[in-house]
């Protein structure tokens, strides 16, 4: 489980490319960030839960299978790019954002980025199959960041970002046209799906 409070960004330093399979090597954001990191540990990359397969000093490797490359933006990355990283939550950790699984449901395209003093508003376009779970003031995971939905218009929604979020995450350099990983809040999904089933059952046969 993750909290959606991104701990920093890590540089992707190398990619080992195989058919329908990749290994990513990242450089730890800091020595302290890697303390106690062992093989098999879970680390979220842009919100996607990955497993540590090798630790060599400040470099950490992760394997990405075909389904991960298909559903997420990780397959689009190149050496030199940076990813949001968060280590798995431990029992007793403060949940500063909202509980997240690290299971990405799809990607959204950045439509526009609007900057004003001390604030950035980013608009995204999402497929209708996922958009039904996006509600004004509801939670959403964007590249592993726990955020609150600001406004919804058709198949688009926005989030409003403070300077701390911009400094700590890849949303500090986000641009229109980019694709971002989306994790829907599971409680919202459960409620929407339940209401749909109840309404469908009430329809005359």
């Amino acid at each position: 489980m993750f909290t959606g409070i991104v701990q920093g960004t890590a540089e992707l330093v190398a990619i080992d490319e195989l058919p329908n399979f990749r290994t990513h090597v990242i450089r730890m954001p800091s020595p302290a960030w890697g303390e106690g990191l062992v093989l098999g540990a879970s680390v979220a990359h842009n919100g996607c839960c990955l497993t540590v397969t090798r630790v060599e000093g400040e470099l950490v490797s992760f394997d990405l299978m075909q389904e991960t490359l298909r559903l997420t933006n990780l397959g689009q990355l190149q050496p030199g790019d940076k990813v949001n990283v968060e280590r798995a939550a431990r029992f007793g950790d403060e949940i500063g954002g909202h509980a997240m699984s690290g299971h990405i449901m799809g990607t959204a395209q950045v439509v526009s980025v609007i900057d004003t003093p001390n604030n950035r508003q980013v608009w995204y376009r999402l497929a209708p199959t996922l958009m039904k779970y996006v509600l004004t003031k509801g939670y959403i995971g964007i590249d592993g960041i726990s955020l609150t939905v600001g406004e919804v218009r058709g198949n688009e929604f926005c989030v409003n970002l403070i300077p701390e979020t911009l400094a700590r995450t890849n949303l500090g350099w986000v641009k229109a046209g980019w694709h971002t990983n989306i994790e829907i809040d599971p409680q919202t999904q459960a409620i929407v799906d339940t209401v749909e089933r109840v309404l469908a059952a009430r329809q005359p046969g």
Side-chain angles (χ1 to χ4, degrees):
M1 188 186 80
F2 302 92
T3 68
I5 303 301
V6 169
Q7 295 155 343
T9 58
E11 182 185 1
L12 177 61
V13 297
I15 296 174
D16 183 13
E17 192 86 54
L18 296 172
N20 300 316
F21 187 87
R22 269 186 169 197
T23 296
H24 282 188
V25 182
I26 67 165
R27 179 175 287 109
M28 297 180 188
S30 68
W33 186 87
E35 270 186 32
L37 194 65
V38 297
L39 298 184
S42 295
V43 178
H45 291 215
N46 285 354
C48 179
C49 180
L50 297 179
T51 301
V52 174
T53 58
R54 180 178 296 179
V55 179
E56 296 178 319
E58 63 178 2
L59 302 181
V60 187
S61 298
F62 302 83
D63 290 340
L64 289 75
M65 57 186 177
Q66 181 178 4
E67 186 69 1
T68 301
L69 298 173
R70 183 183 71 83
L71 281 177
T72 76
N73 62 12
L74 298 181
Q76 303 171 15
L77 298 178
Q78 298 297 325
D81 290 339
K82 292 185 177 181
V83 294
N84 295 332
V85 289
E86 181 190 351
R87 293 182 60 173
R90 294 171 294 185
F91 183 75
D93 283 353
E94 179 181 354
I95 306 297
H98 71 281
M100 295 171 61
S101 66
H103 297 157
I104 302 302
M105 301 182 69
T107 61
Q109 184 176 24
V110 178
V111 177
S112 63
V113 180
I114 304 169
D115 286 315
T116 55
N118 300 314
N119 185 72
R120 170 171 290 174
Q121 185 179 77
V122 183
W123 280 89
Y124 298 89
R125 182 178 296 118
L126 187 61
T129 52
L130 294 179
M131 194 66 205
K132 65 181 181 179
Y133 303 119
V134 180
L135 309 175
T136 301
K137 304 306 178 186
Y139 288 124
I140 192 166
I142 296 180
D143 271 349
I145 311 162
S146 172
L147 293 169
T148 302
V149 177
E151 188 178 349
V152 174
R153 299 176 186 168
N155 289 330
E156 298 181 358
F157 70 94
C158 76
V159 293
N160 296 294
L161 309 168
I162 61 173
E164 177 66 17
T165 302
L166 300 179
R168 188 182 292 265
T169 73
N170 64 1
L171 290 179
W173 56 87
V174 66
K175 296 180 180 179
W178 285 14
H179 288 82
T180 185
N181 293 333
I182 296 293
E183 180 179 336
I184 299 299
D185 175 46
Q187 293 184 352
T188 302
Q189 183 181 6
I191 292 170
V192 171
D193 287 348
T194 299
V195 170
E196 283 188 345
R197 284 196 298 270
V198 171
L199 293 177
R202 290 180 178 177
Q203 295 296 321

